[in-house]
Amino acid sequence: MRDPGNLIDIDGSFGEGGGQILRTSLALSLATGQAFRIRNIRAARRKPGLLRQHLTAVNAAAEIGQARVEGASLASRELIFKPARVATGSYRFDIGTAGSTTLVLQAILPALVVASGPSALTFEGGTHNPQAPPFDFLQKTFLPVLNRMGPTITATLDRPGFYPAGGGRFMVTIKPARRLSPIQLLERGEIQNCCATAIVAGLPRHIAERELRIVHERLSWPEDALRVMELPRGPGNVLMLEIQSEQITEIFTGFGERGVRAETVAQSTVAAAQTYLDAGVPIGKFLADQLLVPLALAGGGSFKTLPLSRHAETNIEVVKKLVDVDVRVALESEHVCTLEILRTR
Ligand code: AMP
């Protein structure tokens, strides 16, 4: 048997070497009560150690888990986290910068969905950040899968926040399940609907229109499936491609950047969606790494996805350190991979 008081050692420089190693450790530690020490936090990133967004995640996890924590300060590269009891209820977390709020949620949601009472969370900061799940992905892709495992989670966007201005806000309500049920996601089923939204916040409308023209040309999606959304606060530009199938909704997101043409942003977003469509799998690249945590807590499940990203490969190792599961990966073809999570005791 594991002794939750024994510190499990996590190497933050392992594999992908980013913030996800920390967030997965926090999430599983909170949900299981297992204490851990992480060294070399975000060693592979340009600015290693805890940034504001990671510190917010650590503090949020500490508050919810009434944890004893050492090393929770900006730029810290080592942390010890010893959780006590999970305290459900109402919480508000403000990143104070445009850092990703959905990534803070990643660290605390798994514990709250298997807790003893309901919770209501408010997040303030960035809601549509590069290298993070955009709010829409959270709401339409990740949470519906999690809800199929037992809990009832809703997410509502009050206002979006883009990097670098931030200022976004969203709310999450959680009715927990006590235990998560394993889930099998091996088929995508028929594609039922495809639509694209190009958001421009405080930027010219033609940016969004040029992005949607590329979507129309390359994916042959009809004009009435393409929508421009103009918002006041910004600057910000996001292109989201939504593919609804019988079993799952996947969202592919491109982020406009200064100095990068709208056409280029749209082409790479379309290419990601096309790879997914061609492979015929239900689970896309990002959802694959994110599902590992709830499936590990459920102690089972399986899904078909694209060949694994480095994020997913790294997350598999972190999950196996903190929970008694094995993860079997079978590459079925150049484009399709099946993952199976099994309890080891
Ligand atoms: P890290 O780079 O270690 O901070 O982890 C980034 C996390 O954000 C991973 O869980 C990714 O799956 C997730 N992520 C990054 N980009 C996207 C995206 N476009 N859509 C959904 N999730 C994303």
Side-chain angles (χ1 to χ4, degrees):
M1 278 296 278
R2 283 175 191 268
D3 174 356
N6 265 354
L7 286 182
I8 300 272
D9 259 304
I10 308 283
D11 178 2
S13 71
F14 168 79
E16 215 276 323
Q20 192 185 46
I21 301 176
L22 170 69
R23 287 189 305 275
T24 297
S25 305
L26 288 170
L28 293 175
S29 167
L30 265 187
T32 62
Q34 174 65 59
F36 72 98
R37 178 208 313 263
I38 178 168
R39 298 188 172 91
N40 307 319
I41 296 174
R42 297 182 64 253
R45 294 292 187 262
R46 200 166 45 85
K47 277 196 209 164
L50 297 178
L51 301 184
R52 176 73 61 192
Q53 173 228 112
H54 311 101
L55 188 57
T56 307
V58 170
N59 290 336
E63 194 180 345
I64 284 175
Q66 306 177 53
R68 292 222 318 269
V69 186
E70 291 170 39
S73 55
L74 277 178
S76 168
R77 298 196 194 188
E78 187 170 329
L79 185 86
I80 293 178
F81 189 85
K82 295 179 179 168
R85 210 181 58 83
V86 169
T88 57
S90 293
Y91 293 92
R92 179 176 166 277
F93 303 110
D94 183 355
I95 295 200
T97 65
S100 164
T101 46
T102 57
L103 289 181
V104 174
L105 176 67
Q106 262 188 3
I108 55 176
L109 184 64
L112 294 176
V113 301
V114 292
S116 54
S119 293
L121 315 174
T122 301
F123 294 89
E124 297 195 20
T127 58
H128 293 75
N129 297 55
Q131 277 105 50
F135 173 83
D136 303 68
F137 177 94
L138 173 75
Q139 185 192 45
K140 295 181 182 169
T141 303
F142 182 71
L143 293 183
V145 178
L146 199 49
N147 281 338
R148 282 164 66 178
M149 300 176 74
T152 307
I153 312 156
T154 67
T156 316
L157 185 65
D158 187 12
R159 50 172 196 257
F162 304 97
Y163 180 82
R169 178 159 63 200
F170 74 95
M171 281 75 77
V172 173
T173 66
I174 302 157
K175 256 204 300 191
R178 296 306 293 264
R179 290 188 75 90
L180 291 178
S181 316
I183 189 169
Q184 264 72 41
L185 288 157
L186 300 170
E187 303 293 333
R188 182 160 75 198
E190 292 296 315
I191 291 179
Q192 297 177 320
N193 190 36
C194 296
C195 56
T197 305
I199 302 177
V200 275
L203 290 173
R205 185 179 173 94
H206 71 80
I207 294 174
E209 288 172 346
R210 284 161 50 209
E211 289 171 346
L212 293 177
R213 192 172 319 132
I214 298 285
V215 175
H216 178 62
E217 284 168 14
R218 306 242 165 146
L219 292 171
S220 307
W221 292 3
E223 299 279 355
D224 64 359
L226 313 176
R227 180 170 68 128
V228 174
M229 193 188 278
E230 286 181 280
L231 299 172
R233 272 182 315 272
N237 166 230
V238 180
L239 171 66
M240 290 182 287
L241 307 182
E242 185 174 328
I243 300 173
Q244 298 164 11
S245 339
E246 276 171 58
Q247 296 300 325
I248 192 103
T249 293
E250 264 290 2
I251 297 194
F252 300 86
T253 310
F255 293 88
E257 257 183 83
R258 200 187 273 269
V260 179
R261 291 175 52 75
E263 286 76 10
T264 310
V265 170
Q267 278 155 7
S268 54
T269 316
V270 163
Q274 191 67 63
T275 303
Y276 170 78
L277 287 168
D278 291 346
V281 294
I283 306 298
K285 175 174 97 169
F286 297 116
L287 186 56
D289 78 60
Q290 294 170 38
L291 279 183
L292 286 163
V293 171
L295 290 188
L297 286 177
S302 56
F303 59 86
K304 256 193 219 313
T305 184
L306 300 163
L308 294 188
S309 66
R310 205 137 178 261
H311 265 98
E313 286 171 350
T314 305
N315 223 16
I316 287 174
E317 298 310 317
V318 181
V319 157
K320 288 199 301 197
K321 281 209 143 206
L322 285 146
V323 186
D324 293 324
V325 290
D326 194 11
V327 182
R328 290 196 191 145
V329 181
L331 198 58
E332 293 189 6
S333 72
E334 205 188 324
H335 307 291
V336 180
C337 170
T338 304
L339 250 84
E340 191 180 3
I341 285 94
L342 307 132
R343 208 186 287 280
T344 50
R345 53 174 113 203

